Coordinates of all heavy atoms in Angstrom, one line a residue:
M26 N -24.7 38.6 -8.0 CA -25.2 38.1 -6.8 C -24.1 37.9 -5.8 O -23.2 37.1 -6.1 CB -26.0 36.8 -7.1 CG -26.9 36.4 -5.9 SD -27.8 34.9 -6.4 CE -29.4 35.4 -6.1
N27 N -24.1 38.6 -4.7 CA -23.0 38.4 -3.7 C -23.4 37.3 -2.7 O -24.4 36.7 -2.8 CB -22.7 39.7 -3.0 CG -23.9 40.3 -2.2 OD1 -24.8 39.5 -2.0 ND2 -23.8 41.5 -1.8
G28 N -22.5 37.1 -1.8 CA -22.6 36.0 -0.8 C -23.9 36.0 0.0 O -24.6 35.0 0.2
S29 N -24.2 37.2 0.5 CA -25.4 37.3 1.4 C -26.7 37.1 0.6 O -27.7 36.6 1.1 CB -25.4 38.7 2.1 OG -25.5 39.7 1.1
D30 N -26.7 37.6 -0.7 CA -27.9 37.3 -1.5 C -28.1 35.8 -1.8 O -29.2 35.3 -1.8 CB -27.8 38.1 -2.9 CG -27.9 39.6 -2.7 OD1 -28.4 40.0 -1.6 OD2 -27.4 40.3 -3.6
R31 N -27.0 35.2 -2.1 CA -27.0 33.7 -2.3 C -27.6 33.0 -1.1 O -28.4 32.1 -1.2 CB -25.7 33.2 -2.7 CG -25.2 33.5 -4.1 CD -23.9 32.8 -4.4 NE -23.4 33.4 -5.6 CZ -22.1 33.3 -6.0 NH1 -21.3 32.7 -5.2 NH2 -21.7 33.9 -7.1
E32 N -27.0 33.4 0.0 CA -27.4 32.8 1.3 C -28.9 33.0 1.5 O -29.7 32.1 1.9 CB -26.6 33.3 2.5 CG -26.9 32.6 3.8 CD -26.0 33.2 4.9 OE1 -24.9 33.7 4.6 OE2 -26.4 33.0 6.0
A33 N -29.4 34.2 1.3 CA -30.8 34.5 1.5 C -31.7 33.7 0.5 O -32.8 33.2 0.9 CB -31.1 36.0 1.3
A34 N -31.2 33.5 -0.8 CA -32.0 32.8 -1.7 C -32.0 31.3 -1.3 O -33.1 30.6 -1.4 CB -31.3 32.9 -3.1
V35 N -30.9 30.8 -0.8 CA -30.9 29.4 -0.4 C -31.8 29.2 0.8 O -32.6 28.2 0.9 CB -29.5 28.9 -0.1 CG1 -29.4 27.6 0.6 CG2 -28.7 28.9 -1.4
R36 N -31.8 30.1 1.7 CA -32.7 30.0 2.9 C -34.1 30.0 2.5 O -35.0 29.3 3.0 CB -32.4 31.1 3.9 CG -31.1 30.9 4.6 CD -30.9 32.0 5.7 NE -29.6 31.9 6.3 CZ -29.3 31.1 7.2 NH1 -30.1 30.2 7.7 NH2 -28.0 31.1 7.7
R37 N -34.5 30.9 1.5 CA -35.9 30.9 1.1 C -36.3 29.6 0.4 O -37.4 29.1 0.7 CB -36.1 32.0 0.0 CG -36.3 33.4 0.6 CD -36.8 34.4 -0.4 NE -35.9 34.4 -1.6 CZ -34.9 35.2 -1.8 NH1 -34.5 36.1 -0.8 NH2 -34.2 35.2 -2.9
L38 N -35.4 29.0 -0.4 CA -35.7 27.7 -1.0 C -35.9 26.6 0.1 O -36.7 25.7 -0.1 CB -34.6 27.3 -2.0 CG -34.6 28.1 -3.3 CD1 -33.3 27.7 -4.1 CD2 -35.8 27.8 -4.1
L39 N -35.0 26.6 1.1 CA -35.1 25.6 2.1 C -36.3 25.7 3.0 O -36.8 24.8 3.6 CB -33.8 25.6 2.9 CG -32.5 25.1 2.2 CD1 -31.3 25.3 3.1 CD2 -32.7 23.7 1.8
E40 N -36.8 27.0 3.2 CA -37.9 27.2 4.1 C -39.3 26.9 3.4 O -40.3 26.7 4.0 CB -37.9 28.6 4.6 CG -36.8 28.9 5.5 CD -36.7 30.4 5.9 OE1 -37.4 31.2 5.3 OE2 -35.8 30.7 6.8
Q41 N -39.3 26.8 2.1 CA -40.5 26.5 1.4 C -40.9 25.0 1.6 O -40.0 24.1 1.9 CB -40.3 26.6 -0.2 CG -40.1 28.1 -0.6 CD -39.9 28.2 -2.1 OE1 -39.7 27.2 -2.8 NE2 -39.8 29.4 -2.6
A42 N -42.2 24.7 1.5 CA -42.6 23.3 1.7 C -42.2 22.6 0.4 O -42.3 23.1 -0.7 CB -44.1 23.3 1.9
P43 N -41.8 21.3 0.6 CA -41.4 20.5 -0.6 C -42.6 20.3 -1.5 O -43.7 20.1 -1.0 CB -40.8 19.2 0.0 CG -41.4 19.2 1.4 CD -41.7 20.6 1.8
R44 N -42.4 20.2 -2.7 CA -43.4 20.0 -3.7 C -43.8 18.5 -3.7 O -42.9 17.7 -3.5 CB -43.0 20.4 -5.1 CG -42.8 21.9 -5.2 CD -42.3 22.2 -6.6 NE -42.0 23.6 -6.7 CZ -41.3 24.2 -7.7 NH1 -40.8 23.4 -8.6 NH2 -41.1 25.4 -7.7
P45 N -45.0 18.2 -3.8 CA -45.4 16.7 -3.9 C -44.9 16.1 -5.2 O -44.9 16.7 -6.2 CB -46.9 16.8 -3.8 CG -47.3 18.1 -4.4 CD -46.2 19.0 -4.0
L46 N -44.4 14.9 -5.0 CA -43.9 14.1 -6.2 C -45.0 13.2 -6.8 O -45.9 12.7 -6.0 CB -42.8 13.2 -5.7 CG -41.5 13.9 -5.3 CD1 -40.5 12.9 -4.8 CD2 -40.9 14.7 -6.4
P47 N -45.0 13.0 -8.0 CA -46.0 12.1 -8.6 C -45.7 10.7 -8.1 O -44.6 10.3 -7.8 CB -45.7 12.2 -10.1 CG -44.8 13.4 -10.3 CD -44.2 13.7 -9.0
P48 N -46.8 9.9 -7.9 CA -46.6 8.6 -7.3 C -45.8 7.6 -8.2 O -45.2 6.7 -7.7 CB -48.1 8.1 -7.2 CG -48.9 8.9 -8.0 CD -48.2 10.2 -8.2
E49 N -45.8 7.8 -9.5 CA -45.0 6.8 -10.3 C -43.5 7.0 -10.2 O -42.8 6.1 -10.5 CB -45.5 7.0 -11.8 CG -45.1 8.3 -12.4 CD -46.2 9.3 -12.3 OE1 -47.3 9.0 -11.7 OE2 -46.0 10.4 -12.8
I50 N -43.1 8.1 -9.7 CA -41.6 8.3 -9.5 C -41.1 7.3 -8.4 O -40.0 6.7 -8.6 CB -41.3 9.7 -9.1 CG1 -41.5 10.6 -10.3 CG2 -39.9 9.9 -8.5 CD1 -41.2 12.1 -10.0
H51 N -41.9 7.0 -7.4 CA -41.4 6.1 -6.4 C -41.3 4.7 -6.9 O -40.3 4.0 -6.7 CB -42.4 6.1 -5.2 CG -42.1 5.1 -4.1 ND1 -42.6 3.9 -4.1 CD2 -41.2 5.2 -3.1 CE1 -42.1 3.2 -3.0 NE2 -41.2 4.0 -2.4
T52 N -42.2 4.2 -7.7 CA -42.1 2.9 -8.2 C -41.0 2.8 -9.2 O -40.3 1.7 -9.3 CB -43.5 2.5 -8.9 OG1 -43.8 3.4 -9.9 CG2 -44.6 2.4 -7.9
E53 N -40.8 3.8 -10.0 CA -39.7 3.8 -11.0 C -38.3 3.8 -10.2 O -37.4 3.1 -10.6 CB -39.8 5.0 -11.9 CG -38.7 5.1 -12.9 CD -38.8 4.1 -14.0 OE1 -39.9 3.5 -14.2 OE2 -37.8 3.8 -14.7
A54 N -38.2 4.5 -9.2 CA -37.0 4.6 -8.4 C -36.7 3.2 -7.7 O -35.6 2.8 -7.7 CB -37.0 5.7 -7.3
V55 N -37.7 2.6 -7.2 CA -37.6 1.3 -6.6 C -37.2 0.3 -7.6 O -36.3 -0.6 -7.4 CB -38.9 0.8 -5.9 CG1 -38.8 -0.6 -5.5 CG2 -39.1 1.7 -4.7
R56 N -37.8 0.3 -8.8 CA -37.4 -0.6 -9.9 C -36.0 -0.4 -10.3 O -35.2 -1.4 -10.4 CB -38.3 -0.4 -11.1 CG -38.2 -1.5 -12.2 CD -39.1 -1.2 -13.3 NE -38.9 0.1 -14.0 CZ -37.9 0.2 -14.9 NH1 -37.1 -0.7 -15.3 NH2 -37.8 1.4 -15.5
R57 N -35.6 0.8 -10.5 CA -34.2 1.1 -11.0 C -33.2 0.7 -9.9 O -32.1 0.2 -10.2 CB -34.0 2.5 -11.3 CG -34.6 2.9 -12.6 CD -34.3 4.3 -13.0 NE -34.9 4.7 -14.3 CZ -34.7 5.8 -14.8 NH1 -34.0 6.8 -14.3 NH2 -35.3 6.1 -16.0
G58 N -33.5 1.0 -8.6 CA -32.6 0.7 -7.5 C -32.4 -0.8 -7.4 O -31.3 -1.3 -7.2
G59 N -33.5 -1.6 -7.5 CA -33.4 -3.1 -7.5 C -32.5 -3.6 -8.6 O -31.7 -4.5 -8.4
R60 N -32.7 -3.0 -9.8 CA -31.9 -3.4 -10.9 C -30.4 -3.1 -10.7 O -29.5 -3.9 -11.0 CB -32.4 -2.8 -12.2 CG -31.7 -3.3 -13.5 CD -32.3 -2.7 -14.7 NE -32.4 -1.3 -14.7 CZ -33.2 -0.6 -15.5 NH1 -34.0 -1.2 -16.3 NH2 -33.3 0.7 -15.4
M61 N -30.1 -1.9 -10.1 CA -28.8 -1.5 -9.8 C -28.1 -2.5 -8.8 O -27.0 -2.9 -9.0 CB -28.7 -0.1 -9.3 CG -28.3 0.9 -10.3 SD -28.0 2.6 -9.7 CE -28.4 2.6 -8.1
L62 N -28.9 -2.8 -7.8 CA -28.4 -3.7 -6.8 C -28.1 -5.1 -7.4 O -27.1 -5.7 -7.0 CB -29.3 -3.9 -5.6 CG -29.4 -2.7 -4.7 CD1 -30.5 -2.9 -3.6 CD2 -28.1 -2.5 -4.0
R63 N -28.9 -5.6 -8.2 CA -28.7 -6.9 -8.9 C -27.4 -6.9 -9.7 O -26.6 -7.8 -9.7 CB -29.9 -7.4 -9.7 CG -31.1 -7.9 -8.8 CD -32.1 -8.5 -9.7 NE -32.7 -7.6 -10.7 CZ -33.7 -6.8 -10.5 NH1 -34.2 -6.7 -9.3 NH2 -34.1 -6.0 -11.5
R64 N -27.3 -5.8 -10.5 CA -26.1 -5.7 -11.4 C -24.8 -5.6 -10.5 O -23.8 -6.2 -10.9 CB -26.2 -4.5 -12.3 CG -27.2 -4.6 -13.4 CD -27.2 -3.4 -14.3 NE -28.1 -3.5 -15.4 CZ -28.4 -2.6 -16.2 NH1 -27.8 -1.4 -16.1 NH2 -29.2 -2.8 -17.2
R65 N -24.9 -4.8 -9.5 CA -23.7 -4.7 -8.6 C -23.4 -6.0 -8.0 O -22.2 -6.3 -7.9 CB -24.0 -3.6 -7.5 CG -22.8 -3.2 -6.7 CD -23.1 -2.1 -5.8 NE -23.5 -0.9 -6.5 CZ -24.3 0.0 -6.0 NH1 -24.7 -0.1 -4.8 NH2 -24.6 1.1 -6.7
T66 N -24.4 -6.7 -7.5 CA -24.1 -8.1 -6.9 C -23.5 -9.0 -7.9 O -22.5 -9.7 -7.6 CB -25.4 -8.6 -6.3 OG1 -25.9 -7.7 -5.4 CG2 -25.2 -10.0 -5.7
L67 N -24.0 -9.0 -9.1 CA -23.5 -9.9 -10.2 C -22.1 -9.5 -10.5 O -21.2 -10.4 -10.7 CB -24.4 -9.8 -11.4 CG -24.0 -10.6 -12.6 CD1 -24.1 -12.1 -12.2 CD2 -24.8 -10.3 -13.8
A68 N -21.8 -8.2 -10.6 CA -20.4 -7.8 -10.9 C -19.5 -8.1 -9.8 O -18.3 -8.6 -10.1 CB -20.4 -6.2 -11.1
R69 N -19.9 -8.0 -8.6 CA -19.0 -8.4 -7.4 C -18.7 -9.9 -7.5 O -17.6 -10.3 -7.3 CB -19.7 -8.0 -6.1 CG -18.8 -8.1 -4.9 CD -19.5 -7.7 -3.6 NE -19.9 -6.3 -3.7 CZ -21.2 -6.0 -3.5 NH1 -22.1 -6.8 -3.1 NH2 -21.5 -4.7 -3.5
R70 N -19.8 -10.7 -7.7 CA -19.5 -12.1 -7.8 C -18.6 -12.5 -8.9 O -17.8 -13.4 -8.8 CB -20.9 -12.9 -7.9 CG -21.7 -12.9 -6.7 CD -23.0 -13.6 -6.8 NE -23.7 -13.6 -5.6 CZ -25.0 -13.9 -5.5 NH1 -25.6 -14.4 -6.5 NH2 -25.6 -13.8 -4.3
A71 N -18.8 -11.8 -10.1 CA -17.9 -12.1 -11.2 C -16.5 -11.8 -10.9 O -15.6 -12.5 -11.3 CB -18.4 -11.4 -12.5
L72 N -16.3 -10.6 -10.3 CA -14.9 -10.3 -9.9 C -14.3 -11.2 -8.9 O -13.1 -11.6 -9.0 CB -14.9 -8.8 -9.4 CG -15.0 -7.7 -10.4 CD1 -15.1 -6.4 -9.8 CD2 -13.9 -7.8 -11.4
W73 N -15.0 -11.7 -7.9 CA -14.5 -12.7 -7.0 C -14.2 -14.0 -7.7 O -13.2 -14.6 -7.4 CB -15.5 -12.9 -5.9 CG -15.4 -12.0 -4.8 CD1 -16.3 -11.0 -4.4 CD2 -14.3 -11.8 -3.8 NE1 -15.8 -10.3 -3.4 CE2 -14.6 -10.7 -3.0 CE3 -13.1 -12.5 -3.7 CZ2 -13.8 -10.3 -2.0 CZ3 -12.2 -12.0 -2.7 CH2 -12.6 -11.0 -1.8
L74 N -15.0 -14.4 -8.7 CA -14.8 -15.6 -9.4 C -13.5 -15.4 -10.3 O -12.7 -16.4 -10.4 CB -16.0 -15.9 -10.3 CG -15.9 -17.2 -11.1 CD1 -15.8 -18.4 -10.2 CD2 -17.1 -17.3 -12.0
L75 N -13.3 -14.3 -10.9 CA -12.1 -14.0 -11.7 C -10.9 -14.0 -10.8 O -9.9 -14.6 -11.2 CB -12.3 -12.6 -12.4 CG -11.1 -12.2 -13.2 CD1 -11.0 -13.2 -14.4 CD2 -11.3 -10.8 -13.7
L76 N -11.0 -13.4 -9.6 CA -9.8 -13.5 -8.7 C -9.5 -14.9 -8.3 O -8.3 -15.3 -8.2 CB -10.2 -12.6 -7.5 CG -9.1 -12.5 -6.4 CD1 -7.9 -11.8 -6.9 CD2 -9.6 -11.8 -5.2
L77 N -10.5 -15.7 -8.0 CA -10.3 -17.1 -7.6 C -9.7 -17.9 -8.7 O -8.7 -18.6 -8.5 CB -11.6 -17.7 -7.2 CG -11.6 -19.2 -6.8 CD1 -10.8 -19.4 -5.5 CD2 -13.0 -19.8 -6.7
A78 N -10.2 -17.7 -10.0 CA -9.6 -18.4 -11.1 C -8.1 -18.0 -11.4 O -7.3 -18.8 -11.7 CB -10.4 -18.1 -12.4
A79 N -7.8 -16.7 -11.2 CA -6.5 -16.2 -11.4 C -5.5 -16.8 -10.4 O -4.4 -17.2 -10.7 CB -6.4 -14.7 -11.4
S80 N -6.0 -16.8 -9.1 CA -5.1 -17.3 -8.1 C -4.9 -18.8 -8.2 O -3.8 -19.4 -8.0 CB -5.7 -17.0 -6.7 OG -6.9 -17.6 -6.5
L81 N -5.9 -19.5 -8.7 CA -5.8 -21.0 -8.9 C -4.9 -21.2 -10.1 O -4.0 -22.1 -10.0 CB -7.2 -21.6 -9.2 CG -7.2 -23.1 -9.5 CD1 -6.8 -23.8 -8.2 CD2 -8.6 -23.5 -9.9
A82 N -5.0 -20.4 -11.2 CA -4.1 -20.6 -12.3 C -2.6 -20.3 -11.9 O -1.7 -21.0 -12.3 CB -4.5 -19.6 -13.4
F83 N -2.4 -19.2 -11.1 CA -1.1 -18.9 -10.6 C -0.5 -20.0 -9.8 O 0.7 -20.4 -9.9 CB -1.1 -17.6 -9.8 CG 0.3 -17.3 -9.3 CD1 1.3 -16.8 -10.0 CD2 0.5 -17.5 -7.9 CE1 2.5 -16.5 -9.5 CE2 1.7 -17.2 -7.4 CZ 2.7 -16.7 -8.2
T84 N -1.3 -20.6 -8.9 CA -0.8 -21.7 -8.1 C -0.5 -22.9 -8.9 O 0.6 -23.5 -8.7 CB -1.9 -22.1 -7.1 OG1 -2.3 -20.9 -6.3 CG2 -1.5 -23.2 -6.1
V85 N -1.3 -23.3 -9.9 CA -1.0 -24.4 -10.7 C 0.3 -24.1 -11.5 O 1.2 -25.0 -11.6 CB -2.1 -24.7 -11.7 CG1 -1.7 -25.7 -12.7 CG2 -3.3 -25.3 -10.9
W86 N 0.5 -22.9 -12.1 CA 1.7 -22.6 -12.8 C 2.9 -22.7 -11.9 O 3.9 -23.2 -12.3 CB 1.5 -21.2 -13.4 CG 2.8 -20.7 -13.9 CD1 3.4 -21.0 -15.1 CD2 3.8 -19.8 -13.3 NE1 4.6 -20.4 -15.3 CE2 4.9 -19.6 -14.2 CE3 3.8 -19.2 -12.1 CZ2 5.9 -18.8 -13.8 CZ3 4.8 -18.4 -11.7 CH2 5.9 -18.2 -12.6
A87 N 2.8 -22.1 -10.7 CA 3.9 -22.1 -9.8 C 4.3 -23.5 -9.4 O 5.5 -23.8 -9.2 CB 3.6 -21.3 -8.5
L88 N 3.4 -24.4 -9.2 CA 3.7 -25.8 -8.8 C 4.3 -26.6 -10.0 O 5.1 -27.5 -9.7 CB 2.5 -26.5 -8.3 CG 2.0 -26.0 -6.9 CD1 0.7 -26.7 -6.6 CD2 3.0 -26.3 -5.9
T89 N 4.0 -26.3 -11.2 CA 4.5 -27.0 -12.3 C 5.8 -26.4 -12.8 O 6.8 -27.1 -13.2 CB 3.5 -27.0 -13.5 OG1 3.1 -25.7 -13.8 CG2 2.3 -27.9 -13.1
A90 N 5.9 -25.0 -12.8 CA 7.1 -24.4 -13.4 C 8.2 -24.2 -12.3 O 9.4 -24.2 -12.7 CB 6.8 -23.0 -13.9
R91 N 7.9 -24.2 -11.1 CA 8.8 -24.1 -10.0 C 9.8 -22.9 -10.2 O 11.0 -23.1 -10.4 CB 9.6 -25.4 -9.7 CG 8.8 -26.5 -9.4 CD 9.6 -27.8 -9.2 NE 9.1 -28.5 -8.1 CZ 9.8 -29.3 -7.3 NH1 11.1 -29.4 -7.5 NH2 9.3 -29.9 -6.4
P92 N 9.3 -21.7 -10.2 CA 10.2 -20.5 -10.6 C 11.2 -20.2 -9.5 O 12.1 -19.5 -9.7 CB 9.2 -19.4 -10.7 CG 8.0 -19.8 -10.0 CD 7.9 -21.3 -10.0
W93 N 11.0 -20.8 -8.3 CA 12.0 -20.5 -7.2 C 13.2 -21.4 -7.3 O 14.2 -21.1 -6.6 CB 11.3 -20.7 -5.9 CG 10.7 -22.1 -5.7 CD1 11.3 -23.2 -5.2 CD2 9.4 -22.5 -6.0 NE1 10.5 -24.2 -5.2 CE2 9.3 -23.8 -5.7 CE3 8.3 -21.8 -6.5 CZ2 8.1 -24.6 -5.9 CZ3 7.1 -22.6 -6.7 CH2 7.0 -23.9 -6.4
V94 N 13.2 -22.4 -8.1 CA 14.3 -23.3 -8.2 C 15.3 -22.8 -9.3 O 14.9 -22.4 -10.4 CB 13.9 -24.8 -8.6 CG1 15.1 -25.7 -8.9 CG2 13.0 -25.3 -7.6
E95 N 16.6 -22.7 -9.0 CA 17.5 -22.2 -9.9 C 17.7 -23.2 -11.1 O 17.9 -24.4 -10.8 CB 18.9 -22.0 -9.2 CG 19.9 -21.3 -10.1 CD 21.2 -21.0 -9.3 OE1 21.1 -20.9 -8.1 OE2 22.2 -21.0 -9.9
P96 N 17.6 -22.8 -12.3 CA 17.8 -23.7 -13.4 C 19.2 -24.2 -13.5 O 20.2 -23.6 -13.1 CB 17.4 -22.9 -14.6 CG 17.6 -21.5 -14.2 CD 17.4 -21.4 -12.8
P97 N 19.4 -25.4 -14.0 CA 20.8 -26.0 -14.1 C 21.6 -25.2 -15.1 O 21.1 -24.6 -16.1 CB 20.5 -27.4 -14.7 CG 19.2 -27.4 -15.3 CD 18.4 -26.4 -14.5
S98 N 22.9 -25.1 -14.8 CA 23.8 -24.3 -15.7 C 23.9 -25.0 -17.0 O 24.2 -26.2 -17.1 CB 25.1 -24.1 -15.0 OG 26.0 -23.5 -15.8
E99 N 23.9 -24.3 -18.1 CA 24.1 -24.9 -19.4 C 25.3 -24.4 -20.1 O 25.6 -24.8 -21.2 CB 22.8 -24.6 -20.3 CG 21.5 -25.2 -19.8 CD 20.3 -24.7 -20.6 OE1 20.5 -23.9 -21.5 OE2 19.2 -25.1 -20.2
T100 N 26.1 -23.5 -19.5 CA 27.2 -23.0 -20.1 C 28.5 -23.7 -19.8 O 29.4 -23.8 -20.6 CB 27.4 -21.5 -19.7 OG1 27.5 -21.4 -18.3 CG2 26.3 -20.7 -20.1
T101 N 28.7 -24.3 -18.7 CA 29.9 -25.1 -18.3 C 29.5 -26.5 -18.0 O 28.4 -26.8 -17.4 CB 30.6 -24.4 -17.1 OG1 29.7 -24.4 -16.0 CG2 31.0 -23.0 -17.4
P102 N 30.4 -27.4 -18.3 CA 30.1 -28.8 -17.9 C 30.2 -29.0 -16.4 O 30.9 -28.3 -15.8 CB 31.1 -29.6 -18.7 CG 32.2 -28.7 -18.9 CD 31.6 -27.3 -19.0
P103 N 29.6 -30.0 -15.9 CA 29.7 -30.2 -14.4 C 31.1 -30.7 -14.1 O 31.7 -31.4 -14.8 CB 28.6 -31.3 -14.1 CG 28.3 -31.9 -15.4 CD 28.6 -30.9 -16.5
L104 N 31.6 -30.2 -13.0 CA 32.9 -30.6 -12.5 C 32.8 -31.9 -11.6 O 32.0 -31.9 -10.7 CB 33.6 -29.5 -11.7 CG 33.9 -28.2 -12.5 CD1 34.4 -27.2 -11.6 CD2 34.9 -28.5 -13.6
S105 N 33.5 -32.9 -12.0 CA 33.5 -34.1 -11.1 C 34.9 -34.7 -11.0 O 35.7 -34.5 -11.9 CB 32.5 -35.2 -11.7 OG 32.9 -35.5 -13.0
G106 N 35.1 -35.4 -10.0 CA 36.4 -36.1 -9.8 C 37.5 -35.2 -9.2 O 38.7 -35.4 -9.4
W107 N 37.2 -34.1 -8.6 CA 38.2 -33.3 -8.0 C 38.7 -33.8 -6.7 O 38.3 -34.0 -5.7 CB 37.7 -31.9 -7.8 CG 37.8 -31.1 -9.1 CD1 37.0 -31.1 -10.1 CD2 38.8 -30.1 -9.4 NE1 37.4 -30.2 -11.1 CE2 38.5 -29.6 -10.7 CE3 39.9 -29.6 -8.7 CZ2 39.3 -28.7 -11.3 CZ3 40.7 -28.7 -9.4 CH2 40.4 -28.2 -10.6

């Protein structure tokens, strides 16, 4: 099947009237879509809660450990009386 045959076949398919769908497909699609939206919302909220907990834990750790302060030297005694 070359390009013009494919194009003609696609045009024939697009020009046909769409087939009627059974009525139960719509209710099933609405039910599944609602469930997907609820799951997506729950996952988004859980990720935001996880991000908030991680940032809170990092803040508490940073305030208690003070990683920006240089630790005191333990290899040489302090020099005094110079």
Side-chain angles (χ1 to χ4, degrees):
M26 192 177 237
N27 61 15
S29 61
D30 291 340
R31 286 185 192 161
E32 185 177 338
V35 169
R36 286 187 188 279
R37 278 194 308 270
L38 286 174
L39 291 176
E40 289 172 356
Q41 292 176 354
R44 295 180 183 162
L46 294 175
E49 65 269 2
I50 287 182
H51 177 264
T52 57
E53 181 71 19
V55 168
R56 186 180 65 80
R57 286 185 180 185
R60 186 171 54 197
M61 261 187 354
L62 285 175
R63 284 190 302 275
R64 284 182 180 175
R65 190 176 297 155
T66 303
L67 182 65
R69 190 179 301 125
R70 286 181 183 169
L72 286 175
W73 276 111
L74 184 64
L75 181 65
L76 179 67
L77 178 68
S80 63
L81 182 65
F83 175 77
T84 303
V85 169
W86 170 79
L88 289 175
T89 56
R91 299 177 142 213
W93 57 87
V94 175
E95 186 175 333
S98 176
E99 297 175 358
T100 56
T101 59
L104 297 174
S105 59
W107 277 80

